[in-house]
């Protein structure tokens, strides 16, 4: 995994010895906001106004957190507004690399970096912390705006509406409380829950995580049997946040993270819901299973030291979903 310490790269895996074998994700440190007029957002400083061509995303097709931002970029029609660099999925001792020899990976068009940690060094030469995707970068001021995916998608959702974004509000005022409530337990037990199970280094930590994960999947299956989306009849950010975990579940998490009690295929409502979102215009283009499976099976040497990639399931994502009748 690796991290920077006072601006110096060090190849360190997550410490689970001090946590009883439990995986604990570190908090994002860059928390500025792009707003329509550059005024301060909920966190960080102001000075980041929405402008066409001003911002750049660093992402990985493999990472579910970065995947959220790619989907919002598509849903809001921001492809011509926000440029993108895509790291290679093969993350080894130097972290995320830029390597165009891997299909669909790109170079770092802003700085010509070899590794993503060098972009963080551009932002703060003394940065201490994990080197993660996504990153939203301001090309005008040459500053890192944010590396918090949950906040980046809210910027993409509304900040660019006045400069040519497509209509659509995935965090509407009347549903915000409901969306936040769903996000909270889905993040803790599902989005991060698969990592808590997969990166656990004690049986107790694994058992604890896996029980909560499948309790939540059962809860989601019941909920989606009663309504079309997580907060009712409208697609919101809560659905996109859940979906990036669902789409990785059967091809990766079942095997690699030992989440094998049930498949998403075994949940009729969840599986149909996953297909519906996959079939939304533009979403399929953001899914790259070669990057997803190559990253998890080949990069996590403490889990899969041989780097052998399993054959994987037949996903059947183009089958009619029937959710429009819900």
């Amino acid at each position: 995994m690796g991290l920077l310490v006072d601006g110096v790269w060090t190849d360190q895996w997550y410490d689970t010895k001090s946590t009883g074998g439990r995986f604990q994700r570190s908090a994002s440190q860059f928390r500025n906001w792009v707003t329509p007029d550059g005024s301060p957002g909920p966190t960080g400083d102001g000075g980041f106004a929405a402008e066409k061509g001003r911002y750049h995303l660093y992402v990985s097709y493999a990472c579910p957190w970065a995947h959220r931002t790619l989907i919002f970029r598509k849903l809001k029609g921001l492809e011509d507004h926000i440029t993108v660099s895509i790291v290679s999925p093969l993350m080894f001792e130097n972290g995320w690399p830029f390597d165009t020899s891997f299909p669909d990976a790109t170079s770092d068009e802003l700085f010509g970096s070899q590794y993503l940690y060098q972009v963080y060094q551009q932002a703060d030469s003394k940065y201490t912390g994990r080197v993660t995707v996504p990153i939203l970068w301001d090309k005008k001021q040459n500053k890192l705006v944010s590396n918090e995916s949950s906040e980046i998608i809210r910027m993409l959702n509304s900040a660019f509406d006045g400069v040519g974004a497509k209509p659509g509000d995935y965090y509407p005022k009347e549903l915000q409380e409901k969306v936040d409530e769903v996000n909270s337990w889905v993040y803790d037990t599902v989005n991060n829950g698969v990592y808590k199970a997969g990166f656990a280094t004690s049986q107790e930590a694994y058992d604890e995580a896996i029980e909560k994960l499948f309790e939540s999947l059962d809860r989601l299956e019941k909920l989606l049997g009663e309504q079309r989306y997580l907060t009712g009849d409208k697609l919101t950010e809560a659905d996109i946040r859940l979906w990036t975990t669902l789409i990785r579940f059967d091809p990766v998490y079942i095997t690699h993270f030992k989440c094998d009690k049930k498949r998403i295929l075994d949940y009729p409502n969840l599986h149909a819901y996953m297909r519906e979102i996959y079939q939304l215009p533009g979403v399929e283009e953001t899914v790259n299973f070669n990057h997803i499976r190559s990253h998890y099976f080949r990069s996590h040497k403490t889990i899969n030291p041989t780097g052998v990639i399993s054959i994987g399931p037949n996903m059947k994502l183009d089958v009619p979903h029937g959710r429009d009748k819900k």
Side-chain angles (χ1 to χ4, degrees), residues 250-289:
D250 289 6
V252 171
Y253 300 147
I254 281 178
T255 304
H256 187 60
F257 279 173
K258 307 179 186 72
C259 299
D260 53 358
K261 182 179 181 181
K262 286 185 182 179
R263 305 166 297 174
I264 299 303
L265 184 62
D266 298 323
Y267 292 99
N269 295 316
L270 270 172
H271 193 252
Y273 166 87
M274 182 178 73
R275 298 198 309 275
E276 177 184 5
I277 295 176
Y278 179 83
Q279 293 170 26
L280 291 174
V283 172
E284 180 182 356
E285 299 167 36
T286 70
V287 181
N288 190 313
F289 284 116

Side-chain angles (χ1 to χ4, degrees), residues 45-245:
D45 300 323
F48 300 95
E51 298 175 19
K52 184 176 181 179
R54 177 171 172 174
Y55 298 97
H56 187 79
L57 270 173
Y58 288 95
V59 299
S60 164
Y61 279 132
C63 171
W65 324 107
H67 195 174
R68 302 170 177 179
T69 65
L70 286 176
I71 293 173
F72 267 81
R73 181 172 172 265
K74 280 286 185 183
L75 292 176
K76 296 295 292 187
L78 295 172
E79 296 95 321
D80 293 334
H81 288 65
I82 300 172
T83 50
V84 173
S85 290
I86 301 166
V87 295
S88 165
L90 303 183
M91 184 181 69
F92 299 132
E93 65 274 5
N94 289 301
W96 294 110
F98 295 99
D99 181 2
T100 57
S101 69
F102 198 99
D104 302 317
T106 73
S107 61
D108 172 15
E109 67 176 63
L110 297 190
F111 306 111
S113 306
Q114 189 175 0
Y115 299 103
L116 188 68
Y117 75 78
Q118 294 165 332
V119 177
Y120 276 79
Q121 289 172 329
Q122 291 279 347
D124 180 357
S125 62
K126 296 297 183 181
Y127 173 74
T128 294
R130 292 285 168 187
V131 173
T132 60
V133 284
I135 293 171
L136 184 64
W137 190 276
D138 179 1
K139 293 185 279 188
K140 188 174 184 177
Q141 299 186 76
N142 202 30
K143 290 182 178 180
L144 200 163
V145 180
S146 177
N147 66 341
E148 174 48 57
S149 67
S150 65
E151 295 171 358
I152 293 172
I153 64 175
R154 291 189 180 172
M155 299 176 214
L156 303 187
N157 177 64
S158 59
F160 294 84
D161 286 354
V163 291
K166 285 182 180 178
D169 184 0
Y170 303 94
Y171 189 56
K173 188 173 182 179
E174 69 276 10
L175 290 176
Q176 287 179 4
E177 185 176 346
K178 208 170 188 179
V179 167
D180 290 345
E181 188 274 327
V182 170
N183 282 346
S184 179
W185 64 266
V186 168
Y187 169 79
D188 184 55
T189 60
V190 181
N191 298 136
N192 204 34
V194 294
Y195 284 85
K196 289 178 181 178
F199 288 164
T201 56
S202 72
Q203 190 67 49
E204 182 183 6
Y206 168 79
D207 291 344
E208 178 183 287
I210 212 73
E211 181 179 1
K212 291 179 180 178
L213 169 63
F214 281 97
E215 283 177 355
S216 287
L217 290 176
D218 290 342
R219 178 180 177 183
L220 288 163
E221 173 69 8
K222 183 177 185 296
L223 180 65
L224 292 170
E226 298 166 351
Q227 58 195 45
R228 187 169 180 179
Y229 300 113
L230 295 182
T231 60
D233 60 0
K234 181 176 174 60
L235 181 79
T236 69
E237 69 166 51
D239 299 291
I240 302 305
R241 286 172 51 130
L242 169 63
W243 185 84
T244 58
T245 296

